[in-house]
Amino acid sequence: MNNTVCLVIEITSIIMYLLSATLMVAKKNVQTHGTGKKAQENNKEIHGTEKNSEKLSNTIWQIAVILNGVIVVNNWLVNGYVPFVSMYQVLTFLALTFAPIYIFMKYMRDGAWMKRYFAIASAFCMTGVCFMSGRGVWHFPPALQSVWFVPHILAYMIAYSLVVVAFIITVISFLKKKFGTQSTKKDKETKSHREVMDETVQKADLGVYNLMVAAFPFMTTGMLFGAIWADAVWGDFWSFDAKENWSLVTWLMVIIYLHFRREEDLKKYAKIFVVLAFVGVLVTMIFVNMMGGSSSHTYSM
Amino acid sequence: MNNKNMYIMLLVLTTIITGMTIAVSIMKTAGTEESLFNGPAIVFVLVAYVAIQVLCIVNIRGSLTVYRIGFYVLHCGLILMLCGMFIYYIKGDKVENVSVPVSEDTYSRIQRASTDIDISDEMNNDASDDDSGNSRDSSDSRDSSDSIGGNSEAKYVELDFALGVSSFEVEKYEDGSDKFYDAKLKLVKRGVADPIYETFRVNHPVRVNGWKIYLMNYEETPSGKVVYIMLKNNPGEYITLAGIWMTIIGGFIMCLLRKRGAK
């Protein structure tokens, strides 16, 4: 596939991801109160519309995932190795990682409601992909020809995707909490609205916790597999390279979140560390490469 | 110490590490090559991390659940990992950027902080029966027997075996960048007449008498190919590796095998 075809597929998948997320938001429950026949019919109708909307959203999401997968497979075939070398390849794969992780969260951690956030995260990554050069053949340098190459990066991809979704949910629930309750203060239904809002915030809080808990072992694995690999290739488990240091900082942010979340007095500050962990992910993945200097991780520039 | 104070201590240490990382990143962006992570400050921070892990283990209460087993494995793993690093910091040794010409010659004296092996010091295979696996540093190549170990100013490391690179093959991409390269490492152990040949590649260091030998790079000079190697002696390696695997396994037990919705 040439670059233009790739770009068209990437843009289409972004649109599909966003459309799917939008349809999931649109199906938000707007049930009619009351016990009358008309109210029941209305609710039934709304329920039916919601189901159709969900089906459509699922289909669109699946198409987006397939398109994203086509790009990943193309990268794989063109290069002849698992496409984790350039930032373009990594981001394309990262966007695809959200789908299986969502499935894990849905079945293992009651996370079906998180689907739209996963779709937004995929769209976010694919948008980055569109601005990147590096489509086509990338050479596979001898230092990357290791058994640790795939597990190290795959573990990081999983961890980073979980942190990105946790960040999106944190920000959206914060915005909802901040601006969602003010408009209905004087409303008669304020109390019930507030209760619903509190429930939503609590659900988001638990969701973020579940995501961060799932992210931690993968981030640890990614980092420590990297250390074992570094010992084999550079002769040091840890050489305090810029990328290594920033990945350590990100890992520490996740650790502090998990610890603060357990302590009642510190719980309220925990979410700050979700945001900081996301900042850490951005710096580790993107900004360290832009810094120049003498990072050993310069293959992804 | 209660949990809250412990977590705040963890935050303080993390803030120090983050501050150092930001400072180093800024320095690197500005073109300064100095690193804050080589001095005693980082050792202090790591010791403090070990102390927190120990406190965590002492402080935990409750029945022995799967979660708690994971907790012990993870925290003990972290302690082991850091202990392994300290052992390397105290007793380990590394000789970097050693250039070896591709030939049948072998060398037992390796020069530090320079790019050349002392070619004049070829090994005599019958020289000694000593096969203890230890190396000697000498402050001066001409009277090496006067100085033994622990001298950071030492210019040479004397190995109890001799090494050389007998052949080197490189495969390139069309644009001239490296696709693959490997070498044959020739090793002559004391008291053993026949040399041993090991295939030597990037990502595949060779182990000899406690040393790990790494193929780092190569150069094509008018007089022939020169291979850059690194030698490392890390007595804490297996402790670090045990710690790494325990941390990974403990993390998975704690986080993924916990009950659904459990906090």
Side-chain angles (χ1 to χ4, degrees):
Chain A
M1 274 195 288
N2 65 28
N3 287 353
T4 320
V5 177
C6 286
L7 191 63
V8 170
I9 294 176
E10 285 155 21
I11 293 170
T12 316
S13 76
I14 295 169
I15 295 167
M16 293 289 190
Y17 277 130
L18 288 176
L19 193 63
S20 149
T22 316
L23 281 169
M24 281 178 242
V25 177
K27 78 174 185 67
K28 210 174 156 186
N29 204 345
V30 215
Q31 281 203 343
T32 312
H33 295 283
T35 47
K37 211 176 176 183
K38 207 175 176 182
Q40 276 178 358
E41 273 173 14
N42 265 348
N43 283 342
K44 219 176 178 182
E45 203 177 303
I46 289 166
H47 191 66
T49 319
E50 263 184 21
K51 244 186 168 175
N52 288 338
S53 160
E54 194 175 346
K55 260 188 183 173
L56 185 63
S57 146
N58 280 344
T59 311
I60 292 172
W61 195 50
Q62 282 156 12
I63 295 169
V65 170
I66 290 167
L67 289 175
N68 193 344
V70 167
I71 296 289
V72 171
V73 171
N74 179 58
N75 286 341
W76 198 327
L77 293 176
V78 165
N79 289 287
Y81 55 79
V82 187
F84 288 161
V85 174
S86 71
M87 190 50 72
Y88 166 78
Q89 294 171 356
V90 168
L91 273 184
T92 319
F93 193 89
L94 181 62
L96 189 66
T97 336
F98 292 101
I101 292 169
Y102 163 71
I103 293 165
F104 170 81
M105 293 307 291
K106 181 181 176 183
Y107 292 106
M108 303 301 286
R109 296 284 180 261
D110 300 322
W113 60 275
M114 294 177 190
K115 192 172 169 183
R116 62 173 174 268
Y117 302 111
F118 278 90
I120 292 169
S122 289
F124 178 69
C125 288
M126 284 306 278
T127 309
V129 164
C130 287
F131 292 101
M132 297 227 161
S133 56
R135 292 173 182 80
V137 181
W138 271 72
H139 294 328
F140 198 39
L144 296 186
Q145 294 163 18
S146 164
V147 287
W148 298 107
F149 176 59
V150 173
H152 166 62
I153 296 174
L154 192 63
Y156 260 131
M157 289 298 101
I158 295 170
Y160 283 176
S161 51
L162 287 160
V163 171
V164 169
V165 177
F167 167 76
I168 293 172
I169 296 175
T170 305
V171 170
I172 291 176
S173 75
F174 172 77
L175 293 175
K176 269 184 183 171
K177 199 178 171 184
K178 188 93 180 157
F179 303 108
T181 45
Q182 282 175 351
S183 56
T184 54
K185 258 181 184 173
K186 288 175 185 173
D187 201 326
K188 210 181 170 182
E189 286 177 292
T190 302
K191 204 181 167 190
S192 65
H193 184 83
R194 264 192 191 161
E195 276 171 5
V196 170
M197 200 56 78
D198 283 348
E199 263 176 37
T200 313
V201 170
Q202 270 174 17
K203 195 165 81 170
D205 186 47
L206 185 62
V208 168
Y209 178 69
N210 281 332
L211 287 163
M212 294 297 270
V213 163
F216 174 73
F218 288 104
M219 200 175 275
T220 309
T221 305
M223 190 173 72
L224 296 181
F225 278 2
I228 298 173
W229 184 9
D231 183 54
V233 67
W234 299 321
D236 275 315
F237 285 106
W238 199 266
S239 50
F240 294 104
D241 175 81
K243 199 142 191 158
E244 289 173 358
N245 287 347
W246 278 108
S247 68
L248 176 68
V249 167
T250 310
W251 184 72
L252 288 169
M253 293 303 158
V254 174
I255 283 184
I256 292 180
Y257 168 80
L258 294 175
H259 284 86
F260 273 34
R261 181 67 171 54
R262 294 175 63 84
E263 193 63 36
E264 213 46 56
D265 292 348
L266 302 171
K267 206 174 174 179
K268 55 181 178 269
Y269 305 112
K271 278 183 182 171
I272 296 168
F273 295 97
V274 178
V275 178
L276 291 177
F278 175 73
V279 173
V281 168
L282 285 186
V283 175
T284 312
M285 267 193 84
I286 298 164
F287 293 115
V288 167
N289 293 344
M290 293 174 178
M291 262 182 237
S294 54
S295 170
S296 308
H297 296 76
T298 46
Y299 316 105
S300 56
M301 280 179 81
Chain B
M1 186 185 272
N2 64 23
N3 284 349
K4 189 182 165 186
N5 291 341
M6 231 158 44
Y7 298 160
I8 288 171
M9 229 171 102
L10 181 69
L11 177 65
V12 171
L13 289 174
T14 302
T15 311
I16 293 171
I17 294 262
T18 311
M20 287 165 80
T21 304
I22 292 170
V24 169
S25 298
I26 292 168
M27 284 197 290
K28 276 200 171 163
T29 311
T32 320
E33 285 297 314
E34 279 174 46
S35 175
L36 299 174
F37 290 98
N38 291 334
I42 191 68
V43 177
F44 166 76
V45 173
L46 293 179
V47 169
Y49 266 113
V50 171
I52 291 184
Q53 305 305 321
V54 174
L55 283 174
C56 259
I57 292 171
V58 171
N59 267 15
I60 193 166
R61 300 274 179 272
S63 55
L64 194 66
T65 55
V66 173
Y67 174 87
R68 229 178 115 183
I69 291 169
F71 170 89
Y72 283 129
V73 174
L74 188 145
H75 285 75
C76 291
L78 285 170
I79 292 172
L80 272 184
M81 203 164 70
L82 294 173
C83 286
M85 287 177 179
F86 286 133
I87 291 171
Y88 173 62
Y89 187 79
I90 295 161
K91 293 189 78 179
D93 196 3
K94 188 159 82 168
V95 192
E96 290 180 280
N97 209 25
V98 180
S99 69
V100 188
V102 178
S103 70
E104 283 299 324
D105 297 340
T106 55
Y107 314 100
S108 61
R109 180 180 285 176
I110 310 291
Q111 191 173 12
R112 283 184 191 277
S114 176
T115 55
D116 292 316
I117 282 181
D118 185 351
I119 296 173
S120 65
D121 195 35
E122 285 189 37
M123 180 158 176
N124 176 2
N125 290 338
D126 303 317
S128 167
D129 291 325
D130 176 18
D131 200 9
S132 60
N134 296 321
S135 67
R136 269 184 322 177
D137 282 354
S138 64
S139 54
D140 185 339
S141 62
R142 302 298 164 226
D143 58 342
S144 59
S145 57
D146 292 337
S147 172
I148 298 171
N151 180 5
S152 60
E153 296 299 315
K155 289 179 183 170
Y156 286 87
V157 171
E158 292 209 13
L159 303 170
D160 60 344
F161 59 91
L163 62 85
V165 176
S166 62
S167 70
F168 180 79
E169 297 295 327
V170 60
E171 210 178 301
K172 290 186 183 271
Y173 289 107
E174 301 79 42
D175 67 352
S177 60
D178 295 335
K179 186 176 184 181
F180 178 81
Y181 51 86
D182 71 359
K184 275 269 181 284
L185 186 70
K186 184 180 177 183
L187 298 164
V188 183
K189 294 190 179 180
R190 282 188 198 276
V192 181
D194 295 327
I196 302 162
Y197 291 91
E198 297 264 9
T199 306
F200 190 34
R201 288 201 303 266
V202 175
N203 273 309
H204 295 87
V206 173
R207 284 176 194 272
V208 193
N209 293 359
W211 286 90
K212 265 168 102 177
I213 307 162
Y214 295 80
L215 176 60
M216 304 303 284
N217 208 343
Y218 73 94
E219 195 179 10
E220 296 189 49
T221 62
S223 55
K225 283 177 186 157
V226 172
V227 171
Y228 288 92
I229 65 167
M230 187 179 87
L231 290 100
K232 190 184 172 191
N233 183 3
N234 180 2
E237 184 187 356
Y238 291 109
I239 297 174
T240 310
L241 279 173
I244 284 176
W245 282 106
M246 280 173 72
T247 307
I248 291 171
I249 293 166
F252 275 102
I253 295 174
M254 262 183 101
C255 297
L256 295 186
L257 296 183
R258 76 203 166 97
K259 279 182 195 166
R260 192 188 280 207
K263 291 178 190 178

